[in-house]
Amino acid sequence: MAGLSFDLIALQLFAGLALGAIYVLFAIGLSLIFGMLTVVNFAHGAFYMVGAYVGLYLISLGGNFWLCLVAVPLLIGLFGMAVERVLIRPLYGRGIDYPLLLTFGLSYVMVECVRIAFGKTGYPFDTPEVLQGAVNIGVGYFPLYRLFVIGATAAVLLALWLFLEKTSFGLIIRAGARDPQIVRVLGVDVSRVWLIVFGIGTAIAGFAGLLAAPLQGVIPEMGGTILAEAFVVTVVGGMGSIGGAVLAGLLVGVVVSMTSLFAPEMAKVSIFALMAIVLIVRPQGFFGRAGLLS
Amino acid sequence: MTKKVTEGGAVSRRRLLTTASAGAVLAASPFRINLLQAEEATIKIGFPVPLTGPYGAEAQDQVRAGQLAVAQFNDAGGLNGRKAELVVRDDKLNPGEAATRTLELVEKEKVNFVVGSLSAAVQLAINNVTKERGIIFNSISQSDAINEAADFSKYTFHEALNPHMTSGAVGRYAFPKFGKKVAFLTADYAYGHEMVRGFLEVGKEFNIENLGDIRHPLGTTDFSILLPRLQALKPDILCISNFGRDQQIVLKQATDFGVKKSIQIIAPLLSHASRVAAGAQAFDGVVGGCSFYWGIEDKFASTKAFNDAFRKMYDGKLPTDYGALGYGGVRTVLEAVKIAGTVETDKVITALEALKYDYYKGPQYYRKCDHQSVQSVLVIKSKSKDMKNESDVFEVLSTEEPSEKNLRSCEALGHKS
């Protein structure tokens, strides 16, 4: 094969970061929900998929992509809150396995419902016109839309950080994650906090699904693969740590990208090899708190 | 279990009674099934296809068209009144699952024939089962290995094109036209490997230069990390040998990366269902091969008749390439049954071997040594404008007429002539 130029390696690195951005966006919702509610949300991939379908539906009604960027997270967030209120809330305090099994089952139901409503075959999802094409990023051409995805991910992260760190509600959320009992004693309705956190988590999942749709089209099973990879990201980053999810997401993207430069057929395996190595050296992940799962 | 039985006498006796009566019911039901089979009510065709997974869209078309062939057979009176039935199973694109489902079709459903599959490895798994049980299997998915002596048996038929034929036709069209420097992106399994081998073989005639072959696992959802490398190779032609959803995603992402601006993308096999699922933008300008396109109805009366029958059965929908294979695979077997006047395996094999048929795409026949269907290969290009209807997605660039010259020879496949 032809030699490796500096430009190629730089471009490859960048492609890895762009891929990582999608992992990050998916995994922070997962991490947020786990960190605050101790719910391992196996339906996260299904919310992601429904987000893409809702976007598709809104566009077919005459909406545009920019409108969807606002409407989809809002709708999926509301849907997530309904799910939390009706299905997940009765299971709090029964250990980690009840909500895990519930969300696992729920994901099957959601995928099946979408199959019934939209059919089993996928739909194309065109890249919005202004974001089509590739631009020169100095080391080579890179699709404009992927740059947009990186930007959107950064914006979500910033908004989330401001919300959690700078607002009083964010303070309550953080306190609720540490010690719900004390927060309750202080007169805060913790169940309302959890409701909103779950809503935010699913809203981000729906947003991620919408952003992914122009990259690969839309099919009912699209949440499955990314869910497995996102769990690797959350485990490597430390279950429940948002900072860990960001760092690990980008790292996974870069590792996959660099592996594929030298041994493309090993790209998928490299994700799990990375996880194994991290878990041997640091069983709780980068920023994980020990004992959260027990 | 044994512990519980010895614990309390009363309980164990009652349990014994219930177990005994349940056993009686169980024993009665297979007996009834056997009775039905003795009457030989229907001719059963087992149809394992990957309804779920990345080739799901294609598989659903296979089923639709297979049902059409069965319906036509039944409407024409069947075999002296004996009707046919398609017994569909989801093989999930997994060789192990396919072998289990096929075994179930043969042993439990007592099917007379097996037609189906989509994926090289899966059809070989099915073939192993049918070969051992002495059941005719007509494969409707591409494979080179299935024609080779090691995998072939007298029960094996291959209605689909094989990678050697497909890549040969596309290569003969593309290499003189678009350039000599070729890079490959290949799905890392038998189908992909066989396609690349075919391209390299036909490439010898045109002195092509192989710049490199990058392989990706089946079911990849992001190709952004492979595309920069391929672009850096600066090929004239990028040859993408994958299928189904993998193909949809890679073409979409290659378009985003601006690959098409300087590089001609070719794919040995362009699937109609994938083109529809991925949209015009992603496939625009891509050149590839296929076994069938509904648009050749101007050329062949059989295509017109097949299209019309399909339209009638499915509310104006037109058949796709893999749909046509489902139709051809089932219809040839049923026609052979009619000619033989029986479902007896050996007589049906003789009838199939003698068959000269034109059911949906012009003349075809099964070559004696490897039961490969000798047929035309279409070279097509994906359209993005001037489309007459939602199925008007390809333009036929050229047609390679049916000829044994384009097949590997019986000797090369290891058959004794």
Side-chain angles (χ1 to χ4, degrees):
Chain A
M1 284 226 157
L4 296 165
S5 65
F6 169 77
D7 279 5
L8 177 59
I9 291 172
L11 192 61
Q12 194 76 28
L13 195 68
F14 195 76
L17 288 172
L19 182 65
I22 299 165
Y23 287 139
V24 169
L25 197 57
F26 189 84
I28 47 171
L30 206 58
S31 254
L32 184 72
I33 291 172
F34 180 78
M36 307 289 164
L37 282 69
T38 343
V39 169
V40 180
N41 182 18
F42 262 97
H44 209 66
F47 283 108
Y48 166 88
M49 176 273 298
V50 172
Y53 270 96
V54 169
L56 192 74
Y57 183 67
L58 290 178
I59 287 175
S60 78
L61 290 182
N64 68 29
F65 186 74
W66 310 106
L67 176 89
C68 288
L69 284 179
V70 181
V72 166
L74 216 62
L75 290 170
I76 304 297
L78 286 173
F79 175 47
M81 282 160 84
V83 166
E84 198 273 351
R85 181 68 192 83
V86 178
L87 296 174
I88 298 176
R89 190 172 294 182
L91 301 179
Y92 288 141
R94 296 205 200 178
I96 199 163
D97 41 354
Y98 279 79
L100 187 151
L101 288 172
L102 177 103
T103 50
F104 188 68
L106 179 66
S107 73
Y108 272 87
V109 173
M110 284 163 74
V111 169
E112 209 50 51
C113 287
V114 168
R115 280 186 188 146
I116 293 166
F118 291 91
K120 288 180 185 167
T121 38
Y123 288 92
F125 198 116
D126 280 343
T127 314
E129 219 158 304
V130 285
L131 295 175
Q132 283 175 13
V135 286
N136 196 338
I137 54 166
V139 287
Y141 281 88
F142 204 74
L144 189 56
Y145 184 74
R146 279 181 195 261
L147 298 177
F148 170 75
V149 170
I150 296 175
T153 304
V156 168
L157 282 175
L158 183 69
L160 193 63
W161 182 78
L162 287 174
F163 175 70
L164 289 177
E165 297 291 328
K166 302 288 169 192
T167 66
S168 52
F169 197 81
L171 185 71
I172 294 172
I173 290 176
R174 281 181 291 141
R178 279 287 162 83
D179 197 335
Q181 223 161 357
I182 290 293
V183 175
R184 201 173 282 136
V185 167
L186 290 171
V188 176
D189 183 358
V190 180
S191 58
R192 199 170 64 104
V193 174
W194 287 349
L195 177 73
I196 290 171
V197 169
F198 197 84
I200 294 172
T202 51
I204 297 174
F207 186 68
L210 176 68
L211 285 185
L215 295 176
Q216 46 173 268
V218 175
I219 56 162
E221 296 81 17
M222 64 189 283
T225 6
I226 186 153
L227 186 67
E229 286 158 3
F231 270 114
V232 173
V233 170
T234 51
V235 167
V236 168
M239 290 290 288
S241 160
I242 293 175
V246 175
L247 187 68
L250 294 177
L251 181 70
V252 166
V254 170
V255 165
V256 173
S257 177
M258 284 303 156
T259 310
S260 64
L261 189 55
F262 299 103
E265 56 276 8
M266 301 297 285
K268 233 177 191 169
V269 184
S270 69
I271 298 181
F272 298 97
L274 173 75
M275 179 169 77
I277 294 166
V278 170
L279 288 185
I280 289 167
V281 181
R282 212 181 142 75
Q284 72 271 38
F286 292 155
F287 301 132
R289 279 173 284 160
L292 207 54
L293 273 171
S294 50
Chain B
M1 201 65 185
T2 36
K3 202 173 160 205
K4 252 192 186 157
V5 173
T6 49
E7 260 172 10
V11 177
S12 74
R13 217 170 302 138
R14 199 163 73 203
R15 186 161 283 182
L16 190 73
L17 277 173
T18 35
T19 315
S21 49
V25 172
L26 276 176
S29 58
F31 176 66
R32 277 181 47 211
I33 289 168
N34 281 339
L35 266 184
L36 272 173
Q37 232 111 46
E39 289 168 18
E40 295 193 305
T42 51
I43 301 166
K44 285 187 168 184
I45 300 175
F47 203 75
V49 285
L51 290 170
T52 48
Y55 301 171
E58 283 80 4
Q60 283 161 51
D61 275 326
Q62 291 180 316
V63 174
R64 278 189 204 111
Q67 298 283 18
L68 173 63
V70 166
Q72 286 179 336
F73 175 80
N74 291 342
D75 290 347
L79 174 65
N80 308 320
R82 262 180 86 183
K83 298 285 165 78
E85 181 195 347
L86 207 62
V87 190
V88 180
R89 288 289 179 275
D90 185 3
D91 67 31
K92 299 185 177 152
L93 200 64
N94 175 319
E97 179 84 16
T100 313
R101 292 291 148 256
T102 309
L103 206 57
E104 181 191 298
L105 285 167
V106 172
E107 307 262 302
K108 257 178 78 190
E109 295 287 338
K110 308 270 183 227
V111 295
N112 303 88
F113 311 101
V114 175
V115 177
S117 93
L118 215 181
S119 165
V122 171
Q123 65 184 313
L124 293 176
I126 294 174
N127 190 45
N128 276 334
V129 175
T130 50
K131 182 162 118 168
E132 221 167 72
R133 299 287 187 290
I135 300 273
I136 292 173
F137 169 44
N138 197 355
S139 169
I140 51 175
S141 162
Q142 297 219 3
S143 166
D144 275 336
I146 206 164
N147 295 125
E148 288 164 12
D151 272 291
F152 176 78
S153 79
K154 68 170 184 174
Y155 306 105
T156 313
F157 287 80
H158 198 239
E159 171 65 22
L161 300 171
N162 61 42
H164 184 85
M165 295 161 79
T166 318
S167 54
V170 175
R172 276 185 283 275
Y173 179 85
F175 294 147
K177 260 205 179 62
F178 306 124
K180 306 266 177 260
K181 285 192 282 180
V182 186
F184 294 89
L185 176 64
T186 310
D188 196 9
Y189 74 115
Y191 163 90
H193 303 170
E194 288 178 356
M195 284 295 182
V196 172
R197 188 181 63 187
F199 275 113
L200 292 177
E201 225 162 272
V202 64
K204 282 182 205 151
E205 294 169 35
F206 302 96
N207 291 317
I208 65 159
E209 185 188 343
N210 177 6
L211 299 179
D213 179 9
I214 291 183
R215 295 190 169 172
H216 71 81
L218 199 62
T220 298
T221 50
D222 205 304
F223 292 88
S224 64
I225 46 178
L226 302 176
L227 291 165
R229 182 81 205 255
L230 285 164
Q231 276 179 300
L233 293 172
K234 297 202 182 349
D236 302 320
I237 297 175
L238 171 59
C239 177
I240 296 178
S241 299
N242 57 14
F243 190 70
R245 192 156 159 72
D246 288 358
Q247 190 181 57
Q248 297 165 28
I249 296 176
V250 72
L251 291 178
K252 169 95 179 103
Q253 297 180 351
T255 308
D256 291 344
F257 267 84
V259 171
K260 286 176 189 163
K261 274 182 207 139
S262 53
I263 301 167
Q264 173 65 45
I265 297 181
I266 64 172
L269 201 55
L270 284 180
S271 136
H272 189 126
S274 290
R275 157 63 183 78
V276 171
Q281 198 188 44
F283 274 66
D284 184 34
V286 176
V287 169
C290 71
S291 60
F292 172 85
Y293 181 58
W294 67 271
I296 58 173
E297 64 180 5
D298 307 335
K299 211 170 147 191
F300 297 107
S302 61
T303 311
K304 180 92 176 78
F306 170 50
N307 288 346
D308 287 344
F310 196 92
R311 276 192 192 107
K312 207 173 145 206
M313 191 157 167
Y314 298 107
D315 312 318
K317 240 176 106 74
L318 279 158
T320 64
D321 37 22
Y322 271 80
L325 286 173
Y327 178 77
V330 174
R331 177 143 177 210
T332 46
V333 170
L334 289 176
E335 295 281 351
V337 165
K338 246 193 231 170
I339 294 165
T342 168
V343 293
E344 248 175 80
T345 305
D346 284 323
K347 288 180 181 155
V348 176
I349 291 174
T350 314
L352 276 169
E353 283 177 341
L355 207 60
K356 299 262 186 263
Y357 60 103
D358 177 2
Y359 298 151
Y360 62 100
K361 60 172 288 191
Q364 288 177 262
Y365 65 93
Y366 292 108
R367 180 164 73 168
K368 186 86 198 277
C369 75
D370 64 349
H371 292 171
Q372 170 60 43
S373 175
V374 181
Q375 58 186 303
S376 60
V377 186
L378 307 176
V379 178
I380 54 177
K381 182 176 176 176
S382 188
K383 287 178 152 180
S384 64
K385 39 184 178 284
D386 307 327
M387 288 173 281
K388 279 176 269 170
N389 57 50
E390 59 160 10
S391 289
D392 185 17
V393 294
F394 294 127
E395 174 194 343
V396 178
L397 298 175
S398 85
T399 307
E400 200 158 81
E401 296 302 329
S403 160
E404 288 191 28
K405 272 200 319 228
N406 298 331
L407 272 57
R408 286 193 291 164
S409 70
C410 292
E411 292 76 45
L413 294 168
H415 299 287
K416 287 182 202 93
S417 48

